[in-house]
Amino acid sequence: MATALITGSSRGIGAAIALRLAEDGYDIALNDISEAMFEDNDIIDKIKAQGVMCESFVADVSSYDQCEQMVKDVKAKLGTIDVLVNNAGITRDGLLARMSEESFDSVIAVNQKSVFNMTKFVGSVMMKQRSGRIINLSSVAGLWGNPGQFNYSASKAAIIGMTKTVAKELGSRGITCNAVAPGFIKTPMTDKLTEAQKENILRMIAMRRYGTVEEIAGVVSFLASKDASYVTGQVIEISGGLSM
Ligand code: NAP
């Protein structure tokens, strides 16, 4: 049985990806920064209802040491790691002129350094087995920039550079690495926007609606599937036609 590890997967897009990969037959390693996120949360039951194994692992993905330990723990409990989805992410929005050093550093640590940490340790597992799929969550903000998201855009653009580099470094070992760049998806992250911001955004989207977490999970499922075996180093925008 193949195993998928999805970071930041107790809720939102990460939970939807975990459920979709469970439906595809993967054993699932969930991750979140706090144990509390798995309490009063039916995600583990929903995944197990698909007839696969599911374990949760508490780790702060911005911590190099905690990522190393988590990868060891996932291997010990689930055997191997065939798919890594670097999904955990945060926002600390604000105009550059008013952005604190802490806001910048924390977003870079959680969104960007986490991809280094996780890809380094999981990549080593995948290199030994000479196969693997790595899928990173970028954003339209990383492709096109976004006012108020200097820190977030920087981290999501960096993910694109890391995706292409990993694709080039690990391709000969049978490992693919791709990114998805969601536009505006209905999650707790976008619920924080003001009504005025939401209306402005809808006007820019060709399909005039937000995306759903399932629509992101579907593309991730494709990138993890046999059908995507010759796709690597790519960024797939999932935005309902936002950037045209
Ligand atoms: P979300 O609902 O806020 O979920 C993010 C998850 O990551 C949460 O469970 C969060 O846990 C966890 N997390 C945060 N910091 C962590 C850390 N240091 N270590 C481990 N887990 C951590 O966000 P989402 O909207 O589903 O977004 C998922 C990914 O898609 C992110 O990378 C985001 O940037 C990207 N994305 C989202 C959108 C969108 O419209 N929603 C658009 C483009 C890209 P806590 O709640 O405990 O902090």
Side-chain angles (χ1 to χ4, degrees):
M1 184 66 89
T3 299
L5 165 58
I6 304 101
T7 65
S9 46
S10 69
R11 65 178 173 136
I13 292 172
I17 293 170
L19 185 56
R20 176 60 196 264
L21 293 178
E23 287 164 8
D24 293 344
Y26 289 94
D27 288 333
I28 299 295
L30 296 172
N31 153 259
D32 211 283
I33 190 168
S34 86
E35 186 70 56
M37 292 301 288
F38 293 110
E39 288 158 14
D40 289 332
N41 185 340
D42 59 1
I43 185 66
I44 296 177
D45 290 340
K46 281 187 182 166
I47 288 171
K48 285 185 173 165
Q50 306 304 315
V52 299
M53 285 169 65
C54 180
E55 298 281 347
S56 59
F57 299 86
V58 174
D60 176 351
V61 290
S62 67
S63 157
Y64 187 79
D65 293 345
Q66 289 185 36
C67 288
E68 182 174 31
Q69 188 58 49
M70 173 162 68
V71 171
K72 281 184 190 156
D73 293 344
V74 174
K75 273 197 74 191
K77 283 204 166 157
L78 295 170
T80 184
I81 303 169
D82 303 282
V83 177
L84 166 65
V85 185
N86 283 310
N87 167 80
I90 59 169
T91 50
R92 296 284 183 274
D93 295 352
L95 293 174
L96 173 58
R98 277 186 250 130
M99 185 171 287
S100 68
E101 187 181 6
E102 193 281 326
S103 292
F104 183 80
D105 289 345
S106 59
V107 169
I108 297 297
V110 175
N111 297 7
Q112 180 177 336
K113 189 182 173 213
S114 64
V115 178
F116 163 69
N117 295 340
M118 292 302 300
T119 308
K120 181 167 176 189
F121 296 119
V122 176
S124 154
V125 174
M126 290 176 170
M127 277 197 283
K128 283 183 198 119
Q129 69 199 18
R130 295 200 151 261
S131 68
R133 299 290 170 89
I134 301 170
I135 299 144
N136 295 324
L137 270 285
S138 179
S139 164
V140 288
L143 284 166
W144 311 111
N146 198 26
Q149 292 198 311
F150 183 91
N151 47 4
Y152 185 79
S153 304
S155 69
K156 295 297 179 180
I159 286 175
I160 294 171
M162 292 191 281
T163 299
K164 290 175 188 286
T165 301
V166 171
K168 287 182 175 179
E169 283 194 15
L170 304 188
S172 65
R173 310 289 182 99
I175 299 163
T176 68
C177 184
N178 293 287
V180 294
F184 290 91
I185 310 303
K186 218 186 148 0
T187 66
M189 195 177 260
T190 43
D191 286 344
K192 285 190 250 165
L193 297 168
T194 64
E195 282 311 311
Q197 283 173 319
K198 287 180 187 170
E199 269 175 36
N200 278 338
I201 288 163
L202 283 179
R203 269 198 288 272
M204 295 187 294
I205 300 173
M207 297 187 75
R208 296 285 189 274
R209 66 170 178 85
Y210 293 106
T212 64
V213 292
E214 289 79 14
E215 286 171 318
I216 306 304
V219 179
V220 172
S221 163
F222 161 70
L223 289 170
S225 76
K226 273 200 189 115
D227 286 339
S229 53
Y230 203 51
V231 179
T232 196
Q234 302 306 303
V235 183
I236 302 183
E237 186 175 322
I238 315 166
S239 68
L242 177 70
S243 358
M244 291 190 294

